[in-house]
Amino acid sequence: MRRLPLSSVWLLVGGIYFFVPLLATLLFSLQSGSNHSYSLGAYGDVIHDGEFWKTLRLSVVLSLETIGISLLLFVPTAYWVHLKLPRVRPAVEFLSILPFVVPPIILVVGLLKLYNGTVHAPIWFLSKPYTFLVAAYVILAFPYVYRSLDAGFRAIDVHTLTEASQSLGATWRTTLLRVILPNVKTAALSGAFLTLAIVMGEFTIASLTLFSTFPTYINYVNQTRTYEAAALSLVSFGITWAAMLGLIVVGRTSGRRAVVIEEH
């Protein structure tokens, strides 16, 4: 009898470890009471709940806003550090570790003290999730986005690409948008995936600031309804993975189009 390679064995063990809890959660969510029958009633209750769609929409908007602001801030930063300020790279890398060290509960308390609504920030900044939560989420996403971009910039010759672009008369803006950014697109998408997962699952900051986001709604359902909580967990898992797969497809499609244009 032929033995399986060790890598295949570990892959099988990892698959079992990953899919068995999902299968158990699925079977539990399909139960409809003490008679051990199965139905989709829990999923129907979740989908027809208006709070589900309200909080999901808010978290999706927060995710997109955080991704946009993070890329807008960190792509030029990483590019300039690699191009002009290589000595500053250790300091920036140290700063990118700080969100790992500082717990979210400490971060939100510090932000509330800083943006106290009287001196450092207007009251509307604190009262809107699209401002205060996004500011906190950009900090949480900083390590993931910057390090993904840093790996992407390390994989390309930034100086040669920049010099070639400018020798052809391109401005700094054109060089960044049309030369550098397409070469680090995969790294930017990786940072976007991680940011999406962070925002869609962040509970501590949203809960302490009394904003009703998708994670706080999941926590509320977990405390009040049993089968609906299991169904909601699987729905949340599916939404996150569907969004990530969609971003992957979009990234590959745009990459193929770019290659075709260059060939012509």
Side-chain angles (χ1 to χ4, degrees):
M1 183 177 179
R2 187 178 179 182
R3 294 184 178 180
L4 291 174
L6 185 60
S7 58
S8 300
V9 174
W10 283 112
L11 183 62
L12 179 62
V13 172
I16 294 174
Y17 180 81
F18 181 78
F19 286 106
V20 167
L22 292 177
L23 179 61
T25 305
L26 174 63
L27 293 176
F28 181 78
S29 66
L30 294 175
Q31 294 184 11
S32 59
S34 58
N35 54 358
H36 300 290
S37 60
Y38 295 95
S39 69
L40 297 175
Y43 291 90
D45 294 339
V46 169
I47 294 176
H48 290 89
D49 189 354
E51 196 67 20
F52 167 78
W53 295 106
K54 179 182 177 181
T55 55
L56 176 61
R57 190 184 305 110
L58 175 60
S59 291
V60 170
V61 173
L62 293 177
S63 300
L64 296 177
E65 190 176 346
T66 304
I67 291 172
I69 293 177
S70 297
L71 294 179
L72 187 64
L73 289 175
F74 301 137
V75 169
T77 300
Y79 171 56
W80 199 251
V81 167
H82 279 266
L83 182 65
K84 295 292 186 179
L85 302 173
R87 295 182 179 180
V88 183
R89 186 185 301 169
V92 179
E93 291 180 350
F94 173 76
L95 292 176
S96 68
I97 300 176
L98 292 181
F100 289 133
V101 179
V102 180
I105 188 171
I106 303 299
L107 174 62
V108 67
V109 171
L111 289 175
L112 288 174
K113 290 292 185 180
L114 177 63
Y115 303 130
N116 52 23
T118 57
V119 178
H120 301 96
I123 193 63
W124 59 263
F125 185 88
L126 293 171
S127 60
K128 300 294 183 180
Y130 304 105
T131 53
F132 182 79
L133 285 184
V134 170
Y137 292 160
V138 169
I139 297 175
L140 291 181
F142 176 32
Y144 305 95
V145 177
Y146 179 79
R147 290 187 174 274
S148 296
L149 292 172
D150 182 67
F153 277 105
R154 289 175 184 268
I156 63 175
D157 192 342
V158 177
H159 294 84
T160 301
L161 290 173
T162 302
E163 291 175 0
S165 176
Q166 291 185 338
S167 66
L168 295 174
T171 61
W172 284 105
R173 179 181 177 183
T174 303
T175 301
L176 178 61
L177 295 180
R178 304 190 63 178
V179 178
I180 300 299
L181 191 57
N183 285 279
V184 296
K185 180 180 60 179
T186 302
L189 286 175
S190 299
F193 298 156
L194 295 173
T195 303
L196 175 67
I198 291 171
V199 177
M200 292 299 295
E202 200 288 317
F203 170 77
T204 303
I205 297 177
S207 176
L208 291 177
T209 52
L210 303 179
F211 289 117
S212 296
T213 60
F214 193 54
T216 60
Y217 172 72
I218 294 176
N219 180 70
Y220 170 75
V221 174
N222 286 334
Q223 294 177 351
T224 56
R225 290 175 282 180
T226 306
Y227 301 116
E228 288 81 358
L232 184 59
S233 299
L234 289 179
V235 170
S236 173
F237 181 83
I239 290 173
T240 303
W241 275 91
M244 290 185 174
L245 291 176
L247 289 175
I248 292 176
V249 171
V250 171
R252 288 182 176 178
T253 303
S254 61
R256 291 174 182 173
R257 291 176 179 174
V259 171
V260 171
I261 293 173
E262 291 175 2
E263 288 177 353
H264 286 288

